[in-house]
Amino acid sequence: MIQETLPKVYNPHEVEAKWYKYWEEKCYFHAKVEPGKKPFTIVIPPPNVTGSLHMGHALNNTLQDIVIRKHRMQGDSTLWLPGTDHAGIATQNVVERQLAQEGLTRQDIGREAFIQRTWEWKELYGSRIINQLKRLGASCDWSRERFTMDEGYTKAVRREFVQLYHEGLIYRGNYIVNWCPRCLTAIADIEVEHAEEEGNFYYVKYMIKDSSDYITVATTRPETILGDTAVAVHPEDGRYKELVGLTVIVPIANREVPVIADDYVNPDFGTGALKVTPAHDPHDFEIGERHHLKSISIFTPEGKMNKEAGKYEGMDRFDAREAIIKELQDKDLLIKIEPMKHSVGHCYRCDTIIEPYLSTQWFMRMKPLAEPAIRIVEEGKIAFVPEQWKKTYYDWMYNIRDWCISRQLWWGHQIPAWYCKDCDEIIVTEEAPTHCTKCNSTNLEQDHDVFDTWFSSALWPFATLGWPEETDDLKYFYPTSLLVTSHDIIFFWVARMVMQGLHFMGEKPFDDVYIHALVRDEFGRKMSKSRGNVIDPLDVIEEFGTDALRFTLSSMATPGRDIFLSRERIEGYRNFANKLWNASRFVMMNLEGYEKAEIADSDLETADRWILSRMNHTTMHVDEAIKVYNFAEASRLIYDFFWSDFADWYVELTKPRLYQKESLYTRQIAQNLLVNIMDHTLRLLHPFMPFITEEIWQKIHQVSGNSSVESIVIAPWPKVDASMIDAAAEADMGLIQSVTSSIRSIKAVLGIALTKPVKVLLNTPDENKRDILERDSSYIYELAWVDNLIIGSNILKPEHSAVDVEQGIEIFMPLKGLVDIDEEIRRLERELAKTEADAEKSRRKLANPQFLAKAASAVVDMEQAKLAEFDDKIAKL
RNA sequence: GGGCGCUUAGCUCAGCGGGAGAGCACCUGCCUUACAAGCAGGGGGUCAGUGGUUCAAAUCCACUAGCGCCCACCA
């Protein structure tokens, strides 16, 4: 028997492993190019190969999977393309750390061996996150899995570089970049994280040559004095006008440098005199260019002082700062120290303080690429959801600066540029050249640097589909339909995909961009390992099951606010899964003798028409909610329908029929309805809770012998049957629910056990309502444990009765022998006070002539009906 | 210095122009033959503050306060 095989509590673990394997074996996730059919495509935001599933991934991929599964069920040719990102710095760091445990550095083993080792690492551990995504239930087409450094992708990246170079959109030059002294590479402007920090403003004397006068210069970074090649003042600054053109002595370095005038200087800041260090400040660099100043680098790549620093050579930059302050004090060149807050840049990867550093790098010209990317959003051809993120996108695009794309790393796409050692020619081609195109020399060397990881991920929506080859996939699935990501990578990734998509494909990469929230802990703090407040999705899956986690995340995916995740919330949805389990258990326990039957309209009771109406309403609203990516709303609708309508009321109302208190025929109708409603609801819920819905769906169809397809994954998305939406049935059922709840409430408040049978009298002059109550009186008997129900139009309140009024129906419950009447009097007084307050509010509203004149008539009618009901209730209580 | 978001029950959050909601927590009573991860019932909120628009404001507008995020070269 089924009852024996189904445990009372849903156990997600075996279910989840079983079904994922089944789905993969059946290739349900494999997308086919089917001309004539509508494609629906999402490319996954590729997680780093070093990654381990965190809540952000869990949210991101749950939402994608919901949309994907729905489209698959709708019959679209649905592709969710997965893959991973080689994640230059992150991966290199991991392997370097591994080496460090063996007492080695990457330099010790050399570039080739290091890259080899990193590939080995990738083969071993790179699939971890993929397996975690599978545990999450992600229905990706794994046959199309890509990696940003696989062979085809490498070809795409080379094409990107070479083409942009020949179009003049990529150039190489010696500029100030953000240098990370720990990662030993340049990073892009947006990879620098600024933080307000306590610092000092040091006022330093710069002696004027052959004079005892001096200019006071204020700086936050005295160690850079050693690289100064000028002092700049504003041309209109009266205080310094006469000093322009003179020579001053740079302290400690004792270098003679000019006083120059430049508009950049702000006379109101500091002392109005600026020390110029072209090699270590981007603005100073520009001033240096304008005035043809020398650039003197004083740091090594590691952030130590170099030989230009003289006796400070070899000292760490921050130790040197202290030492130099001391020396300035000793030489009486330091006037004062003022504390000040200033913004300090940190490496986004390792948090090391960034050093502006002069070096030769490759850059991409962004303005020409940004223009079409701005236009496509302005024209509404790419939609951001929520819309407000458009502004963020525009702000960045309008103020875009050139992008430093070269990185001094070993792990990544090595730049396909070769330098002729004989004639200095630069050769940029996709395939390695054999000889110099200018002097024919074979003495060539490839650029040592690799590309910024985002330079390759910018191609993700089309390189993964085969570009630069014109594959069938590319033609069919591009542009993709939707991108799901969080707002922290709008600049890094979204913006650049738009630019490169438009540039290389001539077409936008996606239609919609859905931006979801960041996941924080229950107190709103960022989850971080150091804080110890990380809720690991894999732990949650262990404890509550994947479906509970997914449903939690989906329920909280409302636009506009970050998600503060708490375990309690997850537990609540675990309980929902259990509710589903037990409701289906109930259905299956009562399917004996089930036969599929066509249900005629005349077979339907009020409760049936009501639940079918509610079901279709729910489905309609779920469709609408998903369409606008309101996952929280969709989840709530299904939750409420299933628990509050189906389980709490409908299931109870089918019991008399199932328990054969009536005929076998009505039992069969009830069985069919239950199976149909479960089937429909499970399909509606499947994208959100794929595992439990499959498990139950399979079981129900096994018992009912009723399946037309072999898995819910490919079952059709539930259709709305508008003819089943039945306002009358909903109103009738509402009446029954009101009366039932009232009786239950009276019993509960007066301490009468629900299961204690009572006598109830219902009085109303409304003939229609009496008919409904008569017709469906069995519901009241069943739900409120009434054993004697009298319905009439002229019933007077029996002595010692509890009384209530619901929807104009007087409800009397004789209490004789049941309970002390005083408690009922107190209850009634509370009820009366509340109703009188409500009535008063209504009355005031209706007494206002403005309200009557200006409000919509439906609103006025409603208010009048409300007041009438309140008054009626007051009169009767 | 700009920009954005948030502030609703003890907690986590919906609602975003016409009767203040859910889950958890709390209180009362129930092992009612699907479910105690449950059932029935109940208490609890000047919807951050001030002002405005409107017949009507949690909802729209302005300002204020607090929290959070993003951008910005002021050394």
Side-chain angles (χ1 to χ4, degrees):
Chain A
M1 287 308 298
I2 302 148
Q3 331 30 349
E4 287 158 24
T5 59
L6 282 186
K8 277 189 175 184
V9 172
Y10 171 62
N11 173 9
H13 294 106
E14 37 194 292
V15 169
E16 290 173 8
K18 175 177 69 181
W19 288 118
Y20 201 89
K21 193 159 158 266
Y22 177 81
W23 297 333
E24 274 203 284
E25 280 166 9
K26 292 284 186 175
C27 300
Y28 293 145
F29 307 154
H30 182 68
K32 292 187 207 72
V33 174
E34 294 172 275
K37 234 181 171 185
K38 210 174 85 187
F40 183 86
T41 316
I42 297 179
V43 289
I44 204 170
N48 291 354
V49 273
T50 53
S52 177
L53 195 79
H54 58 61
M55 274 302 168
H57 293 126
L59 172 67
N60 178 253
N61 290 292
T62 294
L63 300 183
Q64 291 176 79
D65 198 40
I66 289 169
V67 178
I68 282 288
R69 283 181 185 267
K70 174 174 180 269
H71 277 273
R72 187 180 295 119
M73 291 172 81
Q74 281 176 325
D76 297 333
S77 188
T78 303
L79 170 62
W80 187 10
L81 197 151
T84 48
D85 193 299
H86 67 277
I89 296 185
T91 310
Q92 178 160 322
N93 282 350
V94 167
V95 177
E96 282 192 284
R97 241 177 278 135
Q98 203 183 49
L99 281 175
Q101 289 186 344
E102 299 162 30
L104 293 170
T105 67
R106 69 180 149 111
Q107 286 79 10
D108 291 340
I109 65 170
R111 181 171 190 142
E112 210 172 310
F114 181 81
I115 291 171
Q116 175 63 30
R117 183 140 178 170
T118 309
W119 274 108
E120 285 164 13
W121 185 92
K122 190 250 168 193
E123 293 314 317
L124 261 176
Y125 302 109
S127 56
R128 176 174 62 172
I129 186 122
I130 297 298
N131 292 325
Q132 291 170 334
L133 286 172
K134 291 181 181 178
R135 275 203 82 182
L136 190 68
S139 62
C140 302
D141 183 351
W142 300 109
S143 73
R144 285 183 169 87
E145 184 184 338
R146 296 298 299 270
F147 177 56
T148 54
M149 271 173 68
D150 66 33
E151 204 183 318
Y153 209 103
T154 301
K155 217 169 154 186
V157 172
R158 289 192 163 204
R159 170 68 58 88
E160 175 188 22
F161 178 75
V162 172
Q163 187 179 326
L164 289 173
Y165 177 79
H166 290 303
E167 288 168 345
L169 291 169
I170 280 180
Y171 61 93
R172 187 168 183 255
N174 196 35
Y175 296 96
I176 294 271
V177 294
N178 307 290
W179 183 266
C180 176
R182 201 219 59 88
C183 300
L184 296 178
T185 179
I187 60 174
D189 294 336
I190 54 172
E191 289 170 326
V192 178
E193 288 179 351
H194 294 275
E196 281 278 300
E197 281 176 21
E198 301 287 344
N200 289 312
F201 220 13
Y202 301 91
Y203 290 75
V204 180
K205 290 182 192 169
Y206 281 55
M207 303 305 296
I208 293 165
K209 190 185 176 189
D210 301 328
S211 158
S212 58
D213 284 343
Y214 57 84
I215 299 182
T216 306
V217 169
T219 178
T220 53
R221 304 194 53 200
E223 69 276 17
T224 62
I225 286 171
L226 301 172
D228 284 353
T229 54
V231 167
V233 297
H234 193 273
E236 307 300 322
D237 192 336
R239 294 173 295 178
Y240 300 118
K241 235 171 181 161
E242 293 178 358
L243 300 178
V244 175
L246 295 182
T247 297
V248 295
I249 314 291
V250 176
I252 300 177
N254 292 322
R255 183 160 44 241
E256 294 186 6
V257 301
V259 177
I260 57 172
D262 194 284
D263 283 335
Y264 169 75
V265 181
N266 177 354
D268 301 324
F269 191 81
T271 61
L274 168 70
K275 67 187 218 47
V276 184
T277 321
H280 296 293
D281 182 282
H283 309 292
D284 292 10
F285 180 79
E286 282 170 22
I287 295 171
E289 294 271 277
R290 285 197 286 273
H291 297 270
H292 310 291
L293 301 174
K294 246 173 57 180
S295 290
I296 302 175
S297 268
I298 58 163
F299 296 125
T300 68
E302 291 81 11
K304 291 184 163 52
M305 309 308 288
N306 68 13
K307 63 178 189 303
E308 290 289 341
K311 63 186 172 205
Y312 293 113
E313 185 181 356
M315 193 180 275
D316 176 80
R317 52 189 168 149
F318 299 114
D319 297 337
R321 178 179 299 174
E322 297 308 315
I324 284 168
I325 291 164
K326 176 128 200 326
E327 183 173 344
L328 289 171
Q329 275 168 336
D330 291 348
K331 293 190 167 155
D332 194 28
L333 291 170
L334 187 64
I335 296 170
K336 62 172 174 175
I337 303 175
E338 238 173 36
M340 82 173 309
K341 273 193 177 163
H342 63 143
S343 158
V344 179
H346 297 254
C347 174
Y348 78 118
R349 263 293 150 206
C350 69
D351 209 39
T352 302
I353 294 179
I354 287 301
E355 196 58 54
Y357 193 72
L358 191 59
S359 62
T360 301
Q361 305 284 349
W362 289 93
F363 296 87
M364 194 188 297
R365 269 185 236 290
M366 300 302 275
K367 278 219 154 36
L369 291 163
E371 277 163 23
I374 291 168
R375 223 175 306 126
I376 196 110
V377 175
E378 280 177 345
E379 288 166 357
K381 289 177 182 155
I382 294 178
F384 278 81
V385 182
E387 217 178 342
Q388 77 216 34
W389 293 111
K390 262 188 352 197
K391 197 171 158 45
T392 306
Y393 175 89
Y394 287 142
D395 284 350
W396 189 68
M397 283 288 194
Y398 281 126
N399 299 305
I400 203 158
R401 286 176 296 166
D402 285 358
W403 173 18
C404 174
I405 53 170
S406 45
R407 296 289 177 275
Q408 288 63 53
L409 304 172
W410 287 354
W411 177 245
H413 293 283
Q414 194 171 350
I415 298 176
W418 286 262
Y419 306 105
C420 174
K421 287 185 168 171
D422 292 329
C423 74
D424 287 343
E425 177 73 353
I426 301 176
I427 305 151
V428 172
T429 58
E430 289 181 42
E431 299 301 328
T434 51
H435 57 271
C436 175
T437 46
K438 193 174 167 195
C439 74
N440 234 13
S441 160
T442 55
N443 195 8
L444 303 177
E445 189 178 28
Q446 186 174 2
D447 196 301
H448 293 298
D449 293 349
V450 301
F451 290 121
D452 179 0
T453 303
W454 298 105
F455 182 81
S456 52
S457 23
L459 311 179
W460 187 251
F462 45 101
T464 51
L465 290 168
W467 188 86
E469 308 303 326
E470 275 198 36
T471 60
D472 290 343
D473 271 9
L474 187 62
K475 280 184 268 184
Y476 185 67
F477 291 112
Y478 191 91
T480 70
S481 313
L482 170 67
L483 179 78
V484 178
T485 189
S486 65
H487 58 76
D488 52 343
I489 53 174
I490 290 178
F491 307 146
F492 285 98
W493 195 46
V494 180
R496 286 159 176 176
M497 282 191 287
V498 175
M499 291 189 272
Q500 304 303 50
L502 290 170
H503 192 76
F504 290 101
M505 293 296 297
E507 227 181 325
K508 62 182 176 178
F510 26 69
D511 300 329
D512 289 354
V513 180
Y514 174 75
I515 303 287
H516 63 245
L518 296 173
V519 184
R520 299 171 181 281
D521 75 1
E522 61 193 303
F523 305 110
R525 301 171 309 187
K526 219 168 182 167
M527 287 191 187
S528 74
K529 279 188 188 141
S530 55
R531 273 206 193 86
N533 63 343
V534 173
I535 302 182
D536 185 337
L538 297 160
D539 291 346
V540 171
I541 287 173
E542 275 302 318
E543 192 174 348
F544 300 111
T546 299
D547 289 324
L549 172 64
R550 289 175 56 121
F551 205 79
T552 307
L553 292 170
S554 157
S555 304
M556 300 190 80
T558 49
R561 84 146 83 200
D562 287 345
I563 294 177
F564 297 180
L565 196 65
S566 71
R567 299 183 82 78
E568 288 72 29
R569 188 92 184 228
I570 304 168
E571 198 179 333
Y573 293 115
R574 186 271 313 266
N575 296 351
F576 178 57
N578 201 46
K579 191 73 184 176
L580 266 173
W581 180 253
N582 277 294
S584 65
R585 197 163 149 262
F586 166 81
V587 172
M588 286 184 275
M589 284 164 69
N590 289 288
L591 284 189
E592 212 179 318
Y594 171 88
E595 267 178 57
K596 191 173 169 62
E598 281 301 313
I599 300 169
D601 207 45
S602 56
D603 291 331
L604 298 177
E605 294 188 1
T606 304
D608 304 333
R609 284 185 286 114
W610 165 74
I611 196 70
L612 292 170
S613 181
R614 291 284 309 128
M615 183 175 83
N616 280 286
H617 255 140
T618 302
T619 308
M620 192 171 83
H621 291 135
V622 167
D623 273 339
E624 285 162 6
I626 296 179
K627 199 169 283 166
V628 297
Y629 309 110
N630 194 341
F631 300 98
E633 173 76 358
S635 313
R636 211 205 76 236
L637 286 163
I638 301 173
Y639 181 101
D640 286 349
F641 168 74
F642 192 82
W643 200 318
S644 307
D645 292 335
F646 181 72
D648 285 351
W649 292 95
Y650 187 71
V651 163
E652 294 304 319
L653 292 176
T654 59
K655 282 179 179 174
R657 281 181 278 178
L658 291 173
Y659 296 162
Q660 298 209 48
K661 287 176 189 163
E662 303 187 25
S663 76
L664 273 179
Y665 179 71
T666 54
R667 173 179 155 91
Q668 203 155 75
I669 298 296
Q671 286 175 328
N672 270 272
L673 282 163
L674 286 169
V675 166
N676 293 350
I677 293 163
M678 284 298 295
D679 169 72
H680 181 110
T681 310
L682 288 168
R683 283 184 284 128
L684 193 62
L685 182 58
H686 177 256
F688 300 84
M689 296 184 128
F691 294 106
I692 190 173
T693 50
E694 176 77 305
E695 175 74 8
I696 298 173
W697 192 86
Q698 292 283 351
K699 281 196 154 67
I700 287 185
H701 282 288
Q702 188 190 328
V703 174
S704 67
N706 198 0
S707 50
S708 53
V709 287
E710 60 188 4
S711 166
I712 196 170
V713 173
I714 51 167
W717 180 248
K719 280 198 182 62
V720 177
D721 181 352
S723 73
M724 294 312 295
I725 291 177
D726 185 340
E730 296 207 18
D732 292 356
M733 195 60 204
L735 190 68
I736 299 295
Q737 286 177 320
S738 290
V739 171
T740 307
S741 296
S742 170
I743 298 169
R744 285 171 172 179
S745 174
I746 291 168
K747 280 181 159 182
V749 169
L750 299 183
I752 303 164
L754 175 63
T755 49
K756 171 104 184 162
V758 291
K759 177 177 182 180
V760 170
L761 302 94
L762 302 178
N763 183 51
T764 175
D766 187 324
E767 192 180 341
N768 183 39
K769 284 180 181 165
R770 282 202 310 276
D771 287 347
I772 294 162
L773 293 169
E774 291 281 5
R775 187 191 61 210
D776 296 322
S777 60
S778 64
Y779 297 165
I780 298 168
Y781 279 102
E782 177 75 14
L783 295 165
W785 297 80
V786 172
D787 69 343
N788 187 356
L789 186 65
I790 295 166
I791 300 163
S793 60
N794 247 322
I795 299 172
L796 296 174
K797 180 185 154 198
E799 224 185 329
H800 298 302
S801 281
V803 55
D804 192 12
V805 180
E806 290 295 332
Q807 300 199 22
I809 298 165
E810 282 179 289
I811 300 163
F812 304 124
M813 188 195 296
L815 298 174
K816 210 164 181 185
L818 285 171
V819 79
D820 177 9
I821 198 78
D822 293 346
E823 183 57 41
E824 171 60 7
I825 290 167
R826 282 195 289 279
R827 191 187 68 87
L828 282 180
E829 277 166 355
R830 282 202 303 274
E831 188 73 19
L832 192 62
K834 206 190 275 173
T835 312
E836 272 169 351
D838 286 343
E840 181 54 31
K841 207 165 144 192
S842 259
R843 210 170 286 124
R844 268 208 308 275
K845 227 176 193 181
L846 287 163
N848 181 350
Q850 300 281 20
F851 173 71
L852 298 173
K854 293 192 177 173
S857 66
V859 174
V860 177
D861 291 348
M862 207 170 70
E863 201 60 43
Q864 266 158 353
K866 258 162 57 183
L867 179 60
E869 202 183 316
F870 291 143
D871 283 340
D872 180 52
K873 189 163 177 178
I874 291 164
K876 287 171 174 168
L877 280 175

XYZ file of all heavy atoms in Angstrom, chain A residues 33 96 122 182 216 385 434 464 472 523 583 642 734:
103
model
N 18.671 23.229 -32.150
C 18.369 24.291 -33.108
C 17.160 23.842 -33.905
O 17.227 22.852 -34.636
C 19.575 24.537 -34.048
C 19.213 25.539 -35.132
C 20.774 25.019 -33.233
N 49.524 29.872 -6.847
C 50.733 30.383 -6.186
C 50.738 30.009 -4.707
O 51.776 29.706 -4.133
C 50.816 31.906 -6.342
C 51.302 32.318 -7.725
C 51.653 33.803 -7.784
O 50.728 34.614 -7.842
O 52.839 34.129 -7.758
N 43.143 23.250 -12.721
C 41.814 23.463 -13.292
C 41.125 22.125 -13.579
O 39.938 21.961 -13.307
C 41.959 24.285 -14.585
C 40.643 24.789 -15.142
C 40.256 24.093 -16.422
C 38.827 24.388 -16.800
N 38.327 23.505 -17.838
N 51.304 43.674 -4.736
C 51.300 42.288 -4.292
C 51.039 41.356 -5.483
O 51.705 40.358 -5.675
C 50.236 42.052 -3.217
C 50.511 40.807 -2.375
C 49.259 40.032 -2.038
N 48.569 39.598 -3.229
C 48.826 38.462 -3.859
N 49.748 37.644 -3.423
N 48.149 38.152 -4.948
N 55.707 76.436 0.778
C 55.194 75.308 1.546
C 54.270 74.478 0.670
O 53.340 75.000 0.049
C 54.429 75.801 2.774
O 55.279 76.682 3.509
C 54.026 74.629 3.656
N 15.903 45.689 -15.765
C 14.876 45.444 -14.750
C 15.582 45.235 -13.415
O 16.401 44.326 -13.321
C 14.045 44.180 -15.074
C 12.958 43.992 -14.027
C 13.454 44.248 -16.469
N 56.018 34.005 -38.219
C 57.320 33.330 -38.271
C 58.452 34.328 -38.485
O 59.589 34.070 -38.142
C 57.354 32.303 -39.420
O 56.915 32.960 -40.618
C 56.436 31.123 -39.115
N 30.708 31.955 -26.806
C 30.260 30.639 -26.339
C 29.396 29.933 -27.379
O 29.218 28.723 -27.328
C 29.424 30.761 -25.056
O 28.411 31.737 -25.268
C 30.292 31.158 -23.881
N 25.720 27.323 -36.505
C 24.254 27.285 -36.459
C 23.746 27.813 -35.114
O 22.750 28.521 -35.051
C 23.748 25.846 -36.647
C 23.973 25.370 -38.073
O 24.205 26.240 -38.946
O 23.941 24.149 -38.307
N 21.385 40.513 9.414
C 21.522 41.858 9.958
C 21.926 42.856 8.884
O 22.242 43.998 9.182
C 22.553 41.868 11.091
C 22.233 40.863 12.169
C 23.017 39.739 12.331
C 21.129 41.050 12.986
C 22.709 38.800 13.310
C 20.821 40.113 13.959
C 21.609 38.988 14.129
N 0.305 16.780 1.494
C -0.941 16.933 0.735
C -0.991 15.887 -0.364
O -2.026 15.255 -0.605
C -1.043 18.336 0.162
N -1.549 27.077 -2.597
C -1.439 25.674 -2.231
C -1.770 25.441 -0.766
O -2.482 24.502 -0.418
C -0.042 25.117 -2.538
C -0.018 23.619 -2.433
C -0.451 22.842 -3.492
C 0.366 22.993 -1.263
C -0.501 21.460 -3.384
C 0.322 21.609 -1.146
C -0.111 20.844 -2.213
N -16.645 32.074 -0.228
C -16.298 33.095 0.751
C -17.323 33.150 1.880
O -16.977 33.300 3.050
